[in-house]
């Protein structure tokens, strides 16, 4: 099979973050500051990515604003020709920092929203005062005309706030809102009992999004990630393993997706030792789930195998214990019925406490 | 449905026309979107400067490509309206 050049790269600049959201997509084993790539390492990675064909760079974390060299990284990414998107909670962004990021050529900001009021947002983020600061930052961005998307993560405890989140996106002057129902990777997996939405909540979210898309056409774009466990068809995860995008962790490990390290038999290479081009095209880990030679039944003979690629490899690992299995979310998986009934049981049980993310 | 001749299309901040050297094509870069442009799409967007009204863009394209203005107005109008629905182009009345 021919391997396409990558389109997008997620740079996890740091795992440091003032928030401690219980659904954080970072791995449960976090990287400390001393082990992070240097400014020069990142600038070199951005140049290599652009030469390889990457067009869109997402600067993420942890909280990427925790990196003091962020404006320099943005300037370097732009100089390499990359569209530069900052994914932030807003905490730590002051007016001077925003000015520096604008001057460096930052293209777009995705501002995360943990809840639509301080009580909810600060409890989910585990950071008192976070919501008020975020709203202040949103105001500064609006004044400057910085293009913005509001990123919401919804789950059992805040899903009822979706209509207000859509209003807030418009008030902030955002052109887009990402409505993502929590996906169970990273810290979300051990917090499943506290986060799992009910099927009724999941259906309600879909109804609200469908209605808002029609009503706000040309005003606000809604991108929607539905509740995974309540669907019948698995997600087209990452647009296919090693087909569209790649991730670099704070210490330089190059991954096909942010959860890939949960697959224990794969060995991932580091940008400190191997050129990005070689990792993308030639590494065993990136080639592990390309094409369909790795697939088992029912994926192998399925009409949809080129549509959804059998779903998410990390979810197959987490739920079926085999990364080459059909994603158990799929109605054709032998585990499907069990996953769905287990999800509903967890979602309707007494609410569990959060295990907050911590270093 | 075509656009009114007075409408001024513009690429909003955060949307950029970019030559993709690796794949040798033009793309429109927008938040979480990369739109591959065929030669027609590229020709239309190359005339979008945020000040020229749609009518002027159609006239320029018609002259440049020796094509009927009515046909260009329909095609370019649909193309720009489609991008506007996705907040990738602004249409200023």
């Amino acid at each position: 099979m021919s391997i396409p050049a990558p389109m997008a790269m997620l740079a996890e600049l740091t795992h440091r973050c003032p928030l401690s959201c219980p659904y954080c997509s970072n791995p449960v084993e976090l990287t400390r500051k001393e082990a992070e790539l240097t400014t020069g390492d990142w600038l070199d990675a951005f140049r290599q990515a652009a030469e390889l064909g990457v067009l869109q760079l997402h600067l993420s974390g942890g909280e990427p604003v925790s990196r003091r060299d962020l404006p320099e990284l943005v300037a370097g990414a732009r100089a390499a020709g990359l569209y530069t998107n900052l994914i932030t909670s807003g905490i730590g962004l002051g007016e001077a920092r925003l000015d520096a990021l604008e001057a460096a050529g930052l293209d777009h900001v995705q501002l995360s929203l943990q809840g639509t009021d301080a009580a909810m947002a600060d409890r989910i983020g585990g950071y008192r005062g976070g919501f008020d600061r975020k709203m202040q930052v949103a105001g500064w961005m609006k004044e400057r005309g910085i293009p913005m998307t509001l990123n919401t993560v919804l789950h059992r405890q805040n899903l009822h706030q979706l209509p207000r989140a859509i209003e807030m996106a418009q008030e902030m002057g955002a052109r887009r809102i990402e409505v993502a129902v929590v996906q169970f990777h990273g810290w979300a997996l051990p917090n499943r009992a506290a986060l799992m939405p009910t099927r009724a909540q999941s259906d309600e979210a879909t109804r609200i999004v469908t209605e808002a898309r029609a009503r706000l056409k040309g005003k606000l774009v809604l991108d929607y990630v539905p509740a995974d466990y309540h669907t019948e068809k698995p997600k087209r995860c990452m647009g296919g393993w090693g087909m569209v995008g790649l991730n670099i962790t704070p210490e330089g490990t190059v991954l096909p997706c942010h959860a890939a390290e949960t697959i224990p038999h794969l060995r991932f290479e580091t940008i400190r030792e191997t050129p990005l081009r070689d990792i993308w095209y030639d590494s065993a880990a990136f080639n592990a789930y390309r094409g369909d030679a790795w697939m088992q039944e029912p994926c192998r003979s399925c009409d949809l195998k080129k549509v959804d690629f059998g779903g998410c490899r990390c979810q197959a690992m987490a739920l079926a214990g085999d990364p080459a299995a059909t994603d158990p979310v799929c109605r054709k998986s032998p585990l499907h019925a069990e996953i769905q009934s287990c999800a509903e049981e967890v979602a309707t049980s007494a609410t569990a406490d959060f295990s907050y993310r911590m270093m | 449905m075509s656009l009114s001749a007075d409408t001024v299309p513009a690429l909003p901040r955060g949307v950029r026309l970019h030559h993709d050297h690796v794949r040798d094509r033009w793309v429109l870069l927008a938040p979480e979107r990369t739109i591959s442009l065929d030669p027609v799409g590229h020709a239309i967007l190359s005339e979008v400067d945020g000040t020229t009204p749609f009518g002027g863009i159609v006239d320029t394209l018609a002259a440049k490509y020796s094509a009927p203005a009515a046909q260009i107005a329909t095609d370019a109008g649909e193309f720009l309206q489609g991008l506007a629905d996705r907040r990738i182009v602004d249409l200023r009345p």
Side-chain angles (χ1 to χ4, degrees):
Chain A
M1 64 164 299
S2 76
I3 300 166
M7 298 283 289
M9 183 163 95
L10 183 81
E12 289 178 353
L13 298 179
T14 179
H15 280 160
R16 288 174 284 146
C17 185
L19 302 189
S20 49
C21 307
Y23 49 73
C24 182
S25 64
N26 287 162
V28 178
E29 289 290 329
L30 294 167
T31 297
R32 296 193 170 276
K33 183 181 180 184
E34 304 74 56
E36 290 177 6
L37 292 179
T38 64
T39 309
D41 291 336
W42 279 118
L43 294 177
D44 181 55
F46 299 162
R47 283 189 292 267
Q48 287 193 52
E51 282 167 20
L52 192 53
V54 168
L55 297 171
Q56 299 242 1
L57 176 68
H58 306 289
L59 299 172
S60 181
E63 174 50 67
V65 172
S66 306
R67 288 279 302 213
R68 287 176 182 274
D69 56 357
L70 187 61
E72 199 180 336
L73 295 178
V74 168
R78 278 301 304 264
L82 297 166
Y83 188 93
T84 307
N85 174 37
L86 176 68
I87 303 174
T88 179
S89 68
I91 309 302
L93 271 179
E95 290 199 88
R97 208 79 194 294
L98 278 174
D99 290 341
L101 291 170
E102 267 195 297
L106 183 66
D107 285 295
H108 179 257
V109 174
Q110 288 182 311
L111 186 70
S112 65
L113 189 76
Q114 288 72 30
T116 58
D117 55 56
M120 177 68 78
D122 293 356
R123 186 171 69 82
I124 302 298
Y127 186 83
R128 191 178 299 172
F131 180 79
D132 290 342
R133 286 219 224 160
K134 182 192 304 287
M135 294 307 289
Q136 193 173 34
V137 172
W140 291 331
M141 289 204 292
K142 187 178 181 183
E143 279 169 25
R144 285 166 176 73
I146 298 174
M148 188 183 51
T149 291
L150 189 63
N151 275 11
T152 59
V153 176
L154 299 175
H155 45 80
R156 177 184 178 181
Q157 303 199 28
N158 71 355
L159 216 144
H160 62 281
Q161 295 190 330
L162 173 56
R164 177 65 194 135
I166 294 170
E167 286 173 6
M168 285 173 71
Q170 295 173 272
E171 290 163 10
M172 290 177 183
R175 289 182 215 152
R176 287 176 71 243
I177 181 170
E178 284 192 13
V179 177
V181 182
V182 64
Q183 305 288 297
F184 293 104
H185 303 288
W187 289 81
L189 204 50
N191 280 300
R192 243 183 345 191
L195 296 171
M196 183 71 73
T198 63
R199 177 172 278 278
Q201 279 184 311
S202 156
D203 292 345
E204 176 70 357
T206 302
R207 190 194 64 72
I208 291 168
V209 168
T210 307
E211 182 279 325
R213 274 181 177 157
R215 178 167 50 86
L216 300 172
K217 186 175 168 185
K219 297 194 180 83
L220 184 71
V221 175
L222 289 96
D223 280 354
Y224 180 46
V225 180
D228 208 20
Y229 285 32
H230 294 298
T231 56
E232 301 291 312
K233 289 179 183 170
K235 59 184 175 244
R236 182 185 164 84
C237 198
M238 296 296 293
W241 180 276
M243 298 302 276
V244 180
L246 58 104
N247 266 40
I248 303 187
T249 71
E251 54 189 341
T253 308
V254 184
L255 307 173
C257 80
H258 55 71
E261 286 174 298
T262 60
I263 301 178
H265 77 273
L266 295 179
R267 277 194 58 253
F268 297 100
E269 300 185 45
T270 167
I271 193 141
R272 293 180 199 264
E273 290 169 6
T274 310
L276 200 58
R277 178 178 298 275
D278 295 352
I279 297 175
W280 176 260
Y281 287 106
D282 301 329
S283 71
F286 271 81
N287 282 304
Y289 303 109
R290 279 181 172 141
D292 57 13
W294 56 272
M295 285 183 183
Q296 308 166 359
E297 291 298 347
C299 289
R300 188 172 265 283
S301 60
C302 180
D303 292 342
L304 297 173
K305 72 177 172 185
K306 287 189 183 346
V307 175
D308 59 30
F309 310 107
C312 171
R313 295 306 90 225
C314 306
Q315 188 143 279
M317 181 71 228
L319 300 181
D322 175 2
T326 300
D327 185 336
V329 160
C330 180
R331 67 187 159 77
K332 291 187 177 178
S333 163
L335 295 169
H336 177 71
E338 188 187 326
I339 293 295
Q340 286 216 326
S341 65
C342 168
E344 193 62 14
E345 192 177 316
V346 165
T348 50
S349 64
T351 300
D353 290 335
F354 290 139
S355 300
Y356 285 101
R357 171 199 200 268
M358 53 187 166
M359 277 277 178
Chain B
M1 183 199 73
S2 187
L3 294 180
S4 133
D6 301 335
T7 299
V8 178
L11 291 185
R13 187 172 161 186
V15 179
R16 292 195 276 123
L17 205 52
H18 177 80
H19 188 252
D20 178 353
H21 294 278
V22 171
R23 299 168 189 84
D24 192 22
R25 58 171 186 174
W26 283 91
V27 293
L28 203 52
L29 296 176
E32 294 275 349
R33 300 280 190 283
T34 299
I35 296 160
S36 185
L37 297 172
D38 61 14
V40 176
H42 179 242
I44 295 168
L45 288 173
S46 297
E47 303 301 330
V48 169
D49 59 11
T51 52
T52 309
F54 182 63
I57 291 172
V58 170
D59 291 345
T60 303
L61 291 170
K64 220 184 231 184
Y65 299 96
S66 314
Q71 186 60 49
I72 288 187
T74 306
D75 294 350
E78 279 175 11
F79 177 71
L80 292 170
Q81 185 64 56
L83 292 173
D85 288 346
R86 297 155 72 191
R87 294 295 327 257
I88 291 170
V89 160
D90 280 351
L91 297 177
R92 297 168 188 159

